[in-house]
C-alpha cells in the first residue's frame, strides 16, 4: 500500500477542526495528534525548530493619505520617544449651490468629530456611558490644538508624469515641521495657513457622551445624547463671511468649485511643554456624524426661519508626523539577522523574516535552506529526485500539522508600565504578518475564520495575541502552517514575511513607500495609524537559543520499523 499524504486537504480541515477547539483561547493550541499522531500505530509526531533570518527595516516616506482613520495629538513612547500627529483635510458640502435666502445670518457653528468608543454601561440618569477605544499615551496630559483654514489644495490626481495617476502624499517625520512629500516637492502646511479658526491651549479628549441641547431654558427643552466626540462651537462671523456671504456665487456652485475656494482645514497638535508628553487619539473623519454644521436664520424680520448648512470631511485627508526619537532606527543585517527587532508604528520600523534564504540587494547569495526542507518533507527516489503520485502530487514522508514563528519580547528593553486605566501598556499590542512580495496577508490569515469586530480578539489562530508565559516571558506566535504546506506540496513561492505592530489586524489595506530602493514597496496601513512600538528578540546567533526568533514545525511521519 502506497502511503501518500494529501496534506493540504487534511490541514485545511484540521484547521477548521482546531477552531472549534480553541474558541477564543489567548494562545495557539499545538496539533500534535489531532489528525495523525502517537495513538496511531503507523505514525509518530515530533518537532523541528528551524533557524531563520530576521532583520530590521527602517520606514521612511510612507503614504499618509486615504487612511481608514487619522491620528491627532502627541504620543511619548517609553521605548522610542515622541511623535506628534496633525491632520490636513478637505471639506465637502452636503448640498451644492445652496441659496441661503433673504438676509441670512449665522446663529451657531459647531464642529463635531466622533472618537472611536464603546458603550460600557448606563449611568444613574439612564444615559449610556462610554470608553474611548483609541487613546494613547498620557491621557491626563493636555496638548495644544489649533485649527486653521488651509490654502493648500490636496490634488486627487498627479499629472506630472506621462500618465495621470492618483496623487499620493508621503510622510516626512524626520522633519521638525508638519510637512509631507508629494513625490516631487515638500509641502510645509505651516506655510499655507490663512486664518486660525479655533485654538485650545489645554485640550484632552473626553469619554463623556456628547450632549446636544435644543430650546435650552424653555419648557420644551430637550437633550440628545450620542457617542463621545470632539465638539466645539466656532466663530459665527468667520463662517458668515466665508460661506453664507457667498450665496449664489461660483464658489459654492459645485463640489469642485467649493474645494478650490475653501481648500481645507489644518488640525495642528503640539506639546504644551518641553516634556514632549501628551495624548494621541484616533478620530473618525469618515463618520457621517463628522461634520461642521452652520445654523442660520433667514427671511423677513417678522418671519425668520432657522436652517442648517452642513460640511463633511469626505474629501482628501492626510496625516503629518514629526518624530523626536530617543532610539535610532536603521536598516538591519539581512545576512546574519539582528539581535533586536524594532517594531514601531507611524513612520517607524518593521521586521523582515527570511525563512529559507533569498538573495540580497547586491545579488550575493544567502545560504538557501529551502532544498533541505523539501528533501526532509518530500520522498525522493534513488537519484534524489522528488517522487509524485499518479495525481501529480508530491509524495510526502512528513505531514505538517502546525508551523509558526515563535517570537519573544525583549523584556529588558520593553517597559511594561501601566497606563492611566491600570492596564499594562503593551496589553493590546498585536503583530500583523504579511506577504512582502505580493503585499497581501499571509494565506494562514486568509483562511483564519476567527474574525471579530473587536480587533484584539480577531484572527487569533493566524496572529497570536501577546502572551505572558508561566516563566513571565512575553511571546507571540505567527502561524505559517498553510504557507509551508503550499511550498512543500505545490511548489509555491517562498516569500519573505513582514512583521509590523498593529492595533487593528482587521484593517488589511496597504500604504505605498515613496521611491523604495528594495523589494519592500508597501507597508500595512494599520501600522501607520498605530503609534505604539515594541522591541523583540531577533535571530542573530549571539542570542540565547531559547530567545531567538525561530520557525517551529510540528509534524507527523511514518514510523520506521
Amino acid at each position: 500500500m502506497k502511503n501518500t499524504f494529501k496534506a493540504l486537504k487534511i490541514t485545511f480541515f484540521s484547521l477548521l477542526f482546531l477552531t472549534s477547539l480553541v474558541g477564543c483561547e489567548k494562545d495557539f493550541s499545538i496539533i500534535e495528534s489531532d489528525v495523525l499522531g502517537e495513538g496511531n500505530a503507523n505514525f509518530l509526531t515530533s518537532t523541528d525548530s528551524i533557524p531563520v533570518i530576521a532583520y530590521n527595516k527602517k520606514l521612511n516616506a510612507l503614504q499618509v493619505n486615504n487612511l481608514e482613520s487619522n491620528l491627532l495629538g502627541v504620543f511619548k513612547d517609553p521605548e522610542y520617544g515622541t511623535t506628534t500627529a496633525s491632520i490636513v483635510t478637505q471639506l465637502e458640502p452636503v448640498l451644492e449651490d445652496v441659496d441661503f435666502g433673504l438676509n441670512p445670518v449665522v446663529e451657531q457653528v459647531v464642529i463635531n468629530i466622533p472618537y472611536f468608543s464603546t458603550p460600557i454601561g448606563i449611568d444613574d440618569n439612564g444615559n449610556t456611558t462610554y470608553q474611548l477605544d483609541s487613546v494613547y499615551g498620557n491621557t491626563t496630559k493636555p496638548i495644544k490644538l489649533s485649527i486653521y483654514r488651509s490654502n493648500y489644495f490636496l490634488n486627487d490626481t498627479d499629472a506630472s508624469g506621462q500618465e495621470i495617476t492618483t496623487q499620493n502624499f508621503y510622510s516626512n517625520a524626520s522633519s521638525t515641521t508638519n510637512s509631507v512629500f508629494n513625490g516631487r516637492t515638500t509641502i510645509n502646511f505651516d506655510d499655507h495657513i490663512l486664518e486660525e479658526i479655533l485654538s485650545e491651549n489645554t485640550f484632552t479628549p473626553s469619554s463623556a457622551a456628547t450632549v446636544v441641547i435644543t430650546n435650552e431654558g424653555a419648557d420644551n427643552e430637550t437633550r440628545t445624547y450620542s457617542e463621545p466626540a470632539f465638539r466645539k462651537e466656532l466663530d459665527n462671523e468667520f463662517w458668515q463671511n466665508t460661506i453664507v456671504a457667498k450665496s449664489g456665487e461660483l464658489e459654492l456652485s459645485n463640489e469642485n468649485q467649493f474645494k478650490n475656494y475653501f481648500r481645507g482645514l489644518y488640525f495642528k497638535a503640539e506639546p504644551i511643554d518641553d516634556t514632549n508628553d501628551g495624548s494621541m487619539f484616533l478620530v473618525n473623519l469618515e463618520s457621517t456624524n463628522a461634520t461642521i454644521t452652520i445654523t442660520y436664520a433667514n427671511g423677513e424680520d417678522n418671519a425668520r426661519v432657522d436652517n442648517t448648512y452642513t460640511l463633511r470631511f469626505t474629501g482628501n485627508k492626510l496625516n503629518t508626523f514629526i518624530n523626536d526619537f530617543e532610539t535610532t532606527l536603521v536598516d538591519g543585517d539581512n545576512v546574519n539577522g539582528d539581535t533586536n527587532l524594532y517594531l514601531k508604528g507611524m513612520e517607524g520600523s518593521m521586521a523582515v523574516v527570511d525563512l529559507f534564504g533569498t538573495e540580497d540587494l547586491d545579488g550575493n547569495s544567502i545560504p538557501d535552506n529551502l532544498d533541505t526542507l523539501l528533501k526532509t518533507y518530500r520522498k525522493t527516489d534513488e537519484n534524489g529526485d522528488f517522487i509524485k503520485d499518479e495525481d501529480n502530487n508530491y509524495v510526502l514522508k512528513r505531514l505538517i500539522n502546525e508551523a509558526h514563528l515563535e517570537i519573544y519580547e525583549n523584556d529588558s528593553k520593553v517597559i511594561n508600565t501601566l497606563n492611566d486605566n491600570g492596564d499594562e501598556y503593551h496589553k493590546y499590542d498585536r503583530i500583523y504578518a504579511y506577504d512582502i512580495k505580493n503585499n497581501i496577508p499571509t494565506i494562514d490569515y486568509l483562511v483564519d475564520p476567527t474574525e471579530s469586530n473587536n480587533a484584539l480578539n480577531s484572527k487569533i489562530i493566524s496572529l497570536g495575541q501577546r502572551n505572558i508565559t508561566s516563566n513571565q516571558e512575553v511571546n507571540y506566535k505567527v502561524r505559517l502552517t498553510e504557507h509551508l504546506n503550499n511550498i512543500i506540496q505545490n511548489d509555491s513561492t517562498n516569500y519573505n514575511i513582514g512583521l509590523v505592530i498593529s492595533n487593528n489586524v482587521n484593517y488589511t489595506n496597504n500604504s505605498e513607500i515613496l521611491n523604495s530602493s528594495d523589494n519592500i514597496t508597501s507597508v500595512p496601513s494599520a501600522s501607520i495609524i498605530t503609534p505604539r512600538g515594541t522591541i523583540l528578540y531577533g535571530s542573530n546567533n549571539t542570542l540565547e537559543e531559547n530567545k531567538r526568533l525561530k520557525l517551529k514545525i510540528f509534524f507527523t511521519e511514518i514510523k520506521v520499523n
Side-chain angles (χ1 to χ4, degrees):
M1 175 180 176
K2 184 185 292 184
N3 292 296
T4 303
F5 294 168
K6 302 223 175 150
L8 182 60
K9 295 179 182 177
I10 292 174
T11 56
F12 178 74
F13 286 109
S14 67
L15 177 62
L16 295 182
F17 176 66
L18 171 67
T19 65
S20 68
L21 296 177
V22 298
C24 291
E25 288 290 323
K26 185 176 174 97
D27 201 4
F28 292 115
S29 295
I30 302 304
I31 319 171
E32 296 195 21
S33 58
D34 283 346
V35 182
L36 298 169
E38 295 175 357
N40 189 308
N42 297 317
F43 301 96
L44 58 82
T45 60
S46 191
T47 306
D48 273 343
S49 182
I50 298 176
V52 299
I53 298 169
Y55 57 93
N56 291 292
K57 165 69 177 177
K58 184 178 185 299
L59 298 173
N60 299 303
L62 309 180
Q63 181 185 338
V64 288
N65 61 308
N66 297 326
L67 299 172
E68 180 185 56
S69 52
N70 296 92
L71 287 164
L72 183 62
V74 178
F75 177 73
K76 189 171 185 178
D77 187 281
E79 289 99 30
Y80 290 91
T82 301
T83 297
T84 303
S86 298
I87 299 172
V88 180
T89 177
Q90 289 180 325
L91 294 171
E92 293 180 347
V94 172
L95 298 175
E96 298 176 0
D97 201 19
V98 172
D99 182 355
F100 289 100
L102 180 66
N103 299 323
V105 176
V106 173
E107 296 182 328
Q108 185 186 51
V109 183
V110 175
I111 184 171
N112 187 88
I113 303 174
Y115 305 125
F116 288 91
S117 60
T118 300
I120 57 172
I122 303 295
D123 66 17
D124 294 339
N125 297 317
N127 299 312
T128 303
T129 57
Y130 295 86
Q131 170 184 289
L132 296 185
D133 293 334
S134 301
V135 179
Y136 309 95
N138 187 344
T139 58
T140 63
K141 180 78 171 182
I143 62 170
K144 180 180 180 182
L145 180 60
S146 306
I147 304 178
Y148 301 97
R149 180 183 177 187
S150 173
N151 195 38
Y152 185 83
F153 185 73
L154 296 174
N155 288 313
D156 292 313
T157 57
D158 179 4
S160 62
Q162 294 182 346
E163 296 182 1
I164 296 177
T165 58
T166 300
Q167 176 65 68
N168 286 330
F169 297 90
Y170 304 89
S171 61
N172 186 28
S174 59
S175 171
T176 58
T177 63
N178 285 305
S179 56
V180 295
F181 301 114
N182 65 2
R184 302 173 303 282
T185 60
T186 302
I187 303 105
N188 180 356
F189 291 104
D190 285 328
D191 295 336
H192 298 274
I193 290 173
L194 289 179
E195 297 104 340
E196 184 177 74
I197 293 173
L198 181 69
S199 180
E200 295 278 321
N201 290 325
T202 54
F203 174 78
T204 54
S206 170
S207 62
T210 300
V211 183
V212 178
I213 303 174
T214 306
N215 301 321
E216 186 173 6
D219 292 340
N220 60 342
E221 176 183 300
T222 60
R223 292 173 178 255
T224 304
Y225 294 82
S226 59
E227 62 195 335
F230 172 78
R231 185 178 177 87
K232 300 288 180 180
E233 288 197 21
L234 303 179
D235 179 65
N236 291 348
E237 184 178 359
F238 171 82
W239 297 94
Q240 176 80 39
N241 297 334
T242 307
I243 300 296
V244 175
K246 296 293 181 180
S247 178
E249 298 186 18
L250 182 64
E251 288 89 338
L252 306 187
S253 61
N254 59 58
E255 182 181 300
N256 290 334
Q257 290 293 342
F258 181 88
K259 286 181 179 179
N260 188 50
Y261 164 61
F262 197 106
R263 297 189 168 186
L265 296 180
Y266 167 28
F267 293 73
K268 182 177 181 178
E270 299 172 88
I272 62 173
D273 55 41
D274 57 9
T275 64
N276 284 336
D277 204 356
S279 60
M280 183 176 287
F281 45 96
L282 276 176
V283 291
N284 189 4
L285 292 172
E286 295 294 323
S287 170
T288 56
N289 293 325
T291 58
I292 293 177
T293 303
I294 302 171
T295 301
Y296 65 96
N298 61 11
E300 299 288 352
D301 290 343
N302 60 349
R304 302 288 284 174
V305 177
D306 286 338
N307 300 275
T308 58
Y309 180 79
T310 303
L311 301 167
R312 287 188 175 148
F313 301 88
T314 48
N316 286 346
K317 58 186 73 70
L318 58 83
N319 258 123
T320 67
F321 303 134
I322 300 174
N323 287 339
D324 185 12
F325 283 170
E326 300 165 5
T327 298
T328 301
L329 300 176
V330 296
D331 288 340
D333 184 344
N334 64 350
V335 176
N336 301 302
D338 288 326
T339 302
N340 291 306
L341 301 177
Y342 296 90
L343 304 192
K344 177 67 174 76
M346 305 167 86
E347 187 187 294
S349 180
M350 63 175 285
V352 179
V353 180
D354 185 351
L355 295 175
F356 305 112
T358 57
E359 288 188 351
D360 65 19
L361 296 176
D362 299 320
N364 299 317
S365 177
I366 296 174
D368 189 342
N369 299 316
L370 182 56
D371 188 56
T372 301
L373 178 83
L374 296 179
K375 289 179 179 178
T376 302
Y377 283 81
R378 293 176 183 172
K379 281 193 173 182
T380 56
D381 59 21
E382 61 275 9
N383 298 318
D385 296 325
F386 297 125
I387 301 172
K388 290 188 175 183
D389 63 15
E390 62 274 10
D391 297 322
N392 207 36
N393 297 312
Y394 287 106
V395 180
L396 304 182
K397 54 187 176 184
R398 286 183 177 180
L399 169 65
I400 294 178
N401 298 323
E402 155 113 359
H404 62 247
L405 295 175
E406 185 173 73
I407 307 167
Y408 282 88
E409 201 173 74
N410 188 329
D411 54 4
S412 67
K413 290 186 176 294
V414 173
I415 302 171
N416 291 307
T417 56
L418 300 181
N419 65 20
D420 296 322
N421 297 319
D423 295 325
E424 189 177 350
Y425 179 82
H426 290 278
K427 177 179 179 180
Y428 298 102
D429 290 354
R430 298 289 301 276
I431 293 179
Y432 178 85
Y434 76 108
D435 166 359
I436 285 176
K437 177 180 174 61
N438 300 298
N439 290 315
I440 58 174
T442 64
I443 185 172
D444 290 84
Y445 179 101
L446 296 174
V447 302
D448 185 345
T450 57
E451 294 185 356
S452 170
N453 290 331
N454 180 351
L456 180 64
N457 296 318
S458 192
K459 298 295 183 179
I460 60 173
I461 293 178
S462 57
L463 304 174
Q465 296 169 310
R466 185 174 185 266
N467 176 56
I468 301 177
T469 70
S470 59
N471 296 326
Q472 296 304 300
E473 295 177 320
V474 179
N475 67 7
Y476 299 84
K477 294 179 183 179
V478 174
R479 195 186 204 92
L480 296 176
T481 308
E482 298 306 324
H483 174 64
L484 257 65
N485 276 319
N486 267 356
I487 292 172
I488 293 169
Q489 297 165 94
N490 305 325
D491 271 340
S492 295
T493 302
N494 167 42
Y495 51 77
N496 285 348
I497 304 294
L499 302 179
V500 298
I501 194 166
S502 171
N503 292 140
N504 184 2
V505 298
N506 291 330
Y507 182 30
T508 60
N509 288 7
N510 293 306
S511 293
E512 181 184 343
I513 300 174
L514 177 63
N515 298 328
S516 173
S517 60
D518 56 29
N519 62 350
I520 304 174
T521 58
S522 294
V523 294
S525 300
S527 69
I528 296 178
I529 58 173
T530 299
R532 292 194 183 280
T534 192
I535 303 174
L536 311 171
Y537 286 110
S539 63
N540 191 279
N541 59 18
T542 59
L543 288 167
E544 297 176 30
E545 175 65 30
N546 64 333
K547 298 290 189 181
R548 289 181 211 165
L549 189 154
K550 61 183 71 69
L551 177 64
K552 298 194 75 171
I553 302 177
F554 298 82
F555 64 88
T556 299
E557 64 181 341
I558 302 170
K559 286 183 180 178
V560 178
N561 297 322

